[in-house]
Amino acid sequence: MKEKVMQLNQIHSRHHVFWVFIIVHFSLLLFSAFSADIPPRKILNGEKKKSRKVELHMEDNRVFIDNGLVEVTIENPSGHLSGITYKGMLNVLETRNNNNNKGYWDIVWDNEAYDKLATQHVKIITETDELVELSFTKMWDITKDHGNSVPLNVDKRYIVRRGVPGLYMYGILERQEDFPDAHMYQIRIAFKLKEDKFHFMAISDTKQRIMPSQEDRDESRSQVLAFKEAVLLTNPTNPQLKGEVDDKYQYSSENKDNKVHGWISDDDAVGFWVITPSNEFRTCGPHKQDLTSHVGPTALSMFVSTHYTGTEMDVLYKKGETWKKVLGPVFMYLNSASWDEARHYRKALWNDANRQLREEIQSWPYNFTASEDFPHAQQRGEVNGQLLVRDQSLDKQLMQAKSAFVGLAAPGYAGSWQTEGKGYQFWTQTGNTGRFTIKNVRPGEYNFYAWVYGFIGNYKLNLKITIQPGNKINLGTLIYDPPRNGPTLWEIGIPDRTAAEFFIPEPNPTFVNSILNHDADEFRQYGLWDRYSDIYRDGGLVFTVGVSNYSKDWFFAHVPRRIGNETRATTWQIKYELQEVNKAGNYTLQLALAAASYAEVQVRINNPDANLPHFTTERIGYDNAVPRHGIHGLYRLYSINVPGNRFQRGNNTIFLTQTRCHDSFEAVMYDYIRFEGPAV
């Protein structure tokens, strides 16, 4: 009996050693998976697996669309997106919010009223194994809705496709002739993601980081700075963020770059991405800046806004004018990563989102949408040609317009596209020889516009272009004659429509956002306008032609100077020497502005105390680029003629005074300044 007990103990001992070995070995494997340098993980987005058919389930107050990868829940009949189930996450949207505050459209219209475009009816547009498309609609009724909701007919579309982990959304908005006047300042789709899950935001290859929470912006955890959007984190829930600034405008992007952005849930290794494969339905051209993602966690798809343009953008819709526009489709893409490669999942998710973006761009215009208001590829047209530049002061030969921005937009004047807010726009860049092809243009009437890097002004072809389904229009060789009255005597900056080449100071170390610690984003740091007063304590900027360097000696924004609690107008000086003066000739000061906000620039020649300036812009601009951390707003060009008798042989000075100084944000940014001699 004793021997049997000893044998059993030995067996148990061997089993114990065996299981200890297994546990230790498995632990080492886990440690290795989480600590070793390993290649990026494979994204498990379900596309490679055999996909389920798309199923639709409708209830009295909810609609479900399920393709086995995502299940989408939409409130019936309001059309508000109330749930997206993906992987192990029952809802990626914030479940504590009301259904009209999870995934929703909204419009800011007259008197800054908000309308979340709640609809009244739902209709099945397409229901097959491959795809479900739903339509949520509301027809505006003047007897019921006047003064209560934006005068607009609304059709919100949702599409879920087989084998695709995400959701397509687009809207068809329409105004009839008898609808009353209305301003529509902002149109967007907003997504409020789960606050306890999505903490990591990615906007570009460089702008990525763990973000503050919404709670961190409360007054108990932060200090409001010069305006409500900007806060200094004083006691954030994540101690590593203490002392940083957060402001949603620091994460803005130009339309041409705003293609994919979103959030990652570290707990689940899940990404939520807003993908915009085309800018045709956005406003004001490729350089219009707008919001992307920001603290919330919030992800936005912006269609219309007055950000960085102000009310110079055309946002008034008048009674008697009909209007209809398709906004989107945009794609809400979800992806996930396996846990065996934890060190790399963020990069892998971001790279996969960009891969998906490329696929969506290749598929544009989509061929699976059912609305007749969204033309497919065969229903669109194409425009091609070549753009050359003629500036004989630089080159006697025609020059190729390399990397010029060329586009089609609503008929208007040269440059009108940057404030055009109602129609469609189609833009591309020329190649090295100035050749271009603008593809997939919707039928309609357009003008052809362009601007060329390194040259001032705007180009417009004085020909109305009518696009019909399937046609291809060859414009031939076009020649742009940029504004010029004489040879260049001196110049400051680069004609690129931004102030990026000028001196951008280091931020006050008290007000830093670490996500912007890259040269390309340095202008978005908070409080740079105040650095002007720190640098130029005793007087305004003085720039000496031939001695000064504009990248070091020309401040990026002409702002008021702060003296104590006051802000005062500032005068900048440009000093230069003329060897000879043609008293009978006319000289030209080409003054190109990259931004202006409630500003006025006065120009004086050789006499800073003259009662009347030689030239004034008068009060201009609403783009608010300085406090919203932009490096440009709207482009303006002034060709200022100056008689030769205003100059003298030897030393001369041009005085630029920005007269408005009610606050630090009444300012201009210069794009480029050129002084031309009399025509030869």
Side-chain angles (χ1 to χ4, degrees):
M1 183 66 177
K2 186 176 181 180
E3 291 178 356
K4 289 183 178 180
V5 171
M6 290 179 64
Q7 290 175 351
L8 287 173
N9 287 340
Q10 291 173 353
I11 293 172
H12 290 162
S13 177
R14 287 195 296 270
H15 285 178
H16 177 73
V17 171
F18 172 78
W19 285 111
V20 168
F21 171 81
I22 291 296
I23 291 170
V24 170
H25 183 68
F26 184 70
S27 299
L28 289 172
L29 287 174
L30 282 177
F31 177 81
S32 174
F34 279 85
S35 61
D37 285 325
I38 48 182
R41 69 186 57 210
K42 179 182 178 182
I43 299 295
L44 302 179
N45 57 24
E47 292 186 10
K48 303 302 181 182
K49 298 180 180 180
K50 186 177 181 180
S51 56
R52 264 177 42 186
K53 67 178 184 179
V54 186
E55 297 179 351
L56 172 66
H57 305 281
M58 302 191 70
E59 297 181 356
D60 290 341
N61 61 353
R62 291 183 298 179
V63 178
F64 303 92
I65 314 175
D66 187 356
N67 67 358
L69 299 174
V70 294
E71 183 184 68
V72 175
T73 305
I74 308 164
E75 188 177 64
N76 184 11
S78 72
H80 298 315
L81 180 64
S82 59
I84 302 177
T85 300
Y86 178 71
K87 296 296 181 179
M89 301 185 69
L90 295 179
N91 198 346
V92 302
L93 304 177
E94 181 50 68
T95 54
R96 295 176 297 177
N97 291 0
N98 294 329
N99 283 342
N100 68 352
N101 195 31
K102 294 178 180 177
Y104 57 90
W105 288 75
D106 73 11
I107 291 183
V108 179
W109 61 298
D110 289 355
N111 300 317
E112 297 190 356
Y114 275 82
D115 189 331
K116 290 194 173 181
L117 302 187
T119 48
Q120 299 169 339
H121 307 283
V122 60
K123 180 180 179 180
I124 302 172
I125 302 298
T126 306
E127 184 182 11
T128 68
D129 290 351
E130 301 301 317
L131 177 149
V132 167
E133 179 171 350
L134 299 180
S135 167
F136 291 81
T137 59
K138 175 190 175 182
M139 302 296 288
W140 193 80
D141 186 338
I142 192 170
T143 62
K144 299 177 182 178
D145 299 323
H146 186 64
N148 298 317
S149 64
V150 60
L152 203 63
N153 293 336
V154 177
D155 184 354
K156 299 186 295 190
R157 298 292 182 102
Y158 293 88
I159 298 175
V160 176
R161 301 172 63 203
R162 186 172 190 162
V164 179
L167 168 69
Y168 295 88
M169 297 175 64
Y170 67 107
I172 306 162
L173 306 183
E174 180 182 25
R175 281 179 51 85
Q176 296 177 353
E177 190 174 8
D178 60 340
F179 285 8
D181 288 1
H183 292 84
M184 293 193 289
Y185 301 104
Q186 177 175 280
I187 307 175
R188 67 179 187 176
I189 309 175
F191 303 93
K192 303 295 182 64
L193 306 180
K194 285 188 70 66
E195 291 185 32
D196 63 342
K197 291 289 188 178
F198 291 91
H199 302 143
F200 188 86
M201 183 181 77
I203 297 172
S204 69
D205 289 339
T206 58
K207 285 194 282 190
Q208 303 183 9
R209 77 159 188 182
I210 292 285
M211 291 292 288
S213 66
Q214 189 64 46
E215 178 187 348
D216 292 334
R217 292 181 55 88
D218 293 345
E219 61 180 11
S220 62
R221 294 187 176 276
S222 65
Q223 171 192 341
V224 176
L225 298 175
F227 36 87
K228 65 180 182 179
E229 291 86 357
V231 300
L232 178 66
L233 303 175
T234 55
N235 184 31
T237 52
N238 181 349
Q240 293 183 352
L241 299 177
K242 185 176 181 179
E244 294 222 2
V245 169
D246 177 69
D247 180 348
K248 65 182 179 181
Y249 291 106
Q250 293 181 312
Y251 316 123
S252 296
S253 178
E254 290 189 354
N255 283 344
K256 65 181 176 61
D257 303 318
N258 185 2
K259 298 177 181 179
V260 56
H261 61 88
W263 292 81
I264 291 173
S265 168
D266 288 331
D267 290 346
D268 309 274
V270 163
F272 178 95
W273 309 101
V274 177
I275 291 179
T276 307
S278 171
N279 284 321
E280 68 179 49
F281 41 79
R282 285 175 167 161
T283 58
C284 302
H287 311 294
K288 168 72 166 70
Q289 298 169 90
D290 225 321
L291 300 174
T292 55
S293 288
H294 59 78
V295 165
T298 300
L300 300 174
S301 178
M302 301 294 299
F303 300 113
V304 176
S305 87
T306 56
H307 300 144
Y308 303 94
T309 62
T311 52
E312 289 180 78
M313 175 182 163
D314 185 12
V315 295
L316 174 59
Y317 298 76
K318 295 182 179 180
K319 183 177 181 179
E321 298 176 353
T322 60
W323 176 80
K324 192 176 192 180
K325 189 173 183 180
V326 177
L327 302 179
V330 292
F331 182 40
M332 273 48 68
Y333 176 61
L334 291 101
N335 58 4
S336 63
S338 58
W339 275 111
D340 60 341
E341 300 173 63
R343 289 185 60 167
H344 297 275
Y345 68 91
R346 288 175 182 165
K347 181 178 180 181
L349 292 171
W350 170 249
N351 288 343
D352 178 66
N354 279 274
R355 176 203 57 78
Q356 188 66 38
L357 168 65
R358 292 190 292 272
E359 287 192 12
E360 301 301 321
I361 292 173
Q362 287 294 320
S363 301
W364 188 269
Y366 297 139
N367 62 5
F368 52 80
T369 53
S371 172
E372 63 182 14
D373 294 308
F374 183 79
H376 297 165
Q378 66 273 20
Q379 299 167 305
R380 298 183 176 225
E382 180 177 299
V383 173
N384 58 69
Q386 183 181 29
L387 182 64
L388 303 178
V389 179
R390 179 166 49 204
D391 186 342
Q392 294 189 354
S393 290
L394 296 180
D395 196 320
K396 298 298 181 184
Q397 304 296 319
L398 291 173
M399 295 170 282
Q400 293 150 343
K402 299 178 182 179
S403 301
F405 283 88
V406 297
L408 300 174
Y413 57 87
S416 62
W417 51 268
Q418 66 173 348
T419 55
E420 202 287 306
K422 296 177 181 176
Y424 300 96
Q425 297 198 22
F426 302 85
W427 288 85
T428 189
Q429 282 187 270
T430 60
N432 289 334
T433 62
R435 297 190 180 277
F436 60 86
T437 300
I438 306 173
K439 299 180 178 180
N440 297 317
V441 183
R442 297 175 60 107
E445 290 190 343
Y446 304 90
N447 278 151
F448 175 86
Y449 303 95
W451 76 269
V452 185
Y453 178 89
F455 297 90
I456 59 175
N458 290 287
Y459 175 80
K460 174 197 167 185
L461 177 64
N462 291 319
L463 174 71
K464 188 173 288 186
I465 297 173
T466 301
I467 299 295
Q468 297 177 345
N471 70 343
K472 295 184 178 181
I473 297 175
N474 188 339
L475 297 178
T477 299
L478 309 175
I479 298 176
Y480 174 45
D481 294 291
R484 180 178 287 279
N485 294 323
T488 299
L489 300 183
W490 52 258
E491 58 187 348
I492 301 172
I494 301 169
D496 63 356
R497 298 181 175 237
T498 81
E501 70 270 29
F502 298 129
F503 176 64
I504 298 173
E506 292 290 327
N508 185 323
T510 305
F511 303 119
V512 171
N513 186 335
S514 61
I515 200 174
L516 306 172
N517 288 340
H518 300 274
D519 290 345
D521 302 312
E522 60 183 351
F523 61 86
R524 294 200 184 275
Q525 293 285 5
Y526 175 86
L528 299 184
W529 54 86
D530 277 339
R531 299 288 288 118
Y532 177 81
S533 300
D534 297 335
I535 297 169
Y536 298 95
R537 294 179 181 273
D538 302 322
L541 181 151
V542 178
F543 186 93
T544 302
V545 173
V547 177
S548 301
N549 182 334
Y550 63 72
S551 65
K552 298 178 181 179
D553 302 315
W554 189 271
F555 201 78
F556 79 100
H558 194 161
V559 295
R561 186 164 70 252
R562 176 178 36 80
I563 301 176
N565 294 325
E566 297 181 3
T567 53
R568 297 184 183 178
T570 50
T571 297
W572 292 8
Q573 301 179 44
I574 305 174
K575 294 181 176 293
Y576 58 98
E577 185 176 343
L578 293 177
Q579 298 293 334
E580 299 290 340
V581 176
N582 183 346
K583 296 289 185 178
N586 285 315
Y587 292 73
T588 304
L589 183 68
Q590 302 284 8
L591 185 68
L593 302 183
S597 187
Y598 301 93
E600 178 183 9
V601 177
Q602 295 183 354
V603 180
R604 289 175 172 82
I605 310 294
N606 285 332
N607 182 5
D609 300 319
N611 288 331
L612 294 177
H614 176 77
F615 171 84
T616 176
T617 62
E618 301 183 333
R619 202 214 62 75
I620 52 172
Y622 306 91
D623 55 38
N624 234 9
V626 169
R628 288 182 171 169
H629 321 294
I631 200 63
H632 72 85
L634 295 180
Y635 177 79
R636 291 172 170 83
L637 176 64
Y638 301 93
S639 295
I640 305 166
N641 291 321
V642 187
N645 60 17
R646 301 297 303 273
F647 303 105
Q648 60 195 18
R649 185 175 179 179
N651 294 327
N652 291 264
T653 304
I654 290 176
F655 298 90
L656 303 176
T657 302
Q658 201 297 97
T659 65
R660 306 282 174 144
C661 55
H662 293 93
D663 60 43
S664 298
F665 310 130
E666 294 178 327
V668 297
M669 295 181 191
Y670 299 100
D671 165 42
Y672 173 74
I673 301 174
R674 183 171 74 214
F675 187 53
E676 299 173 357
V680 177

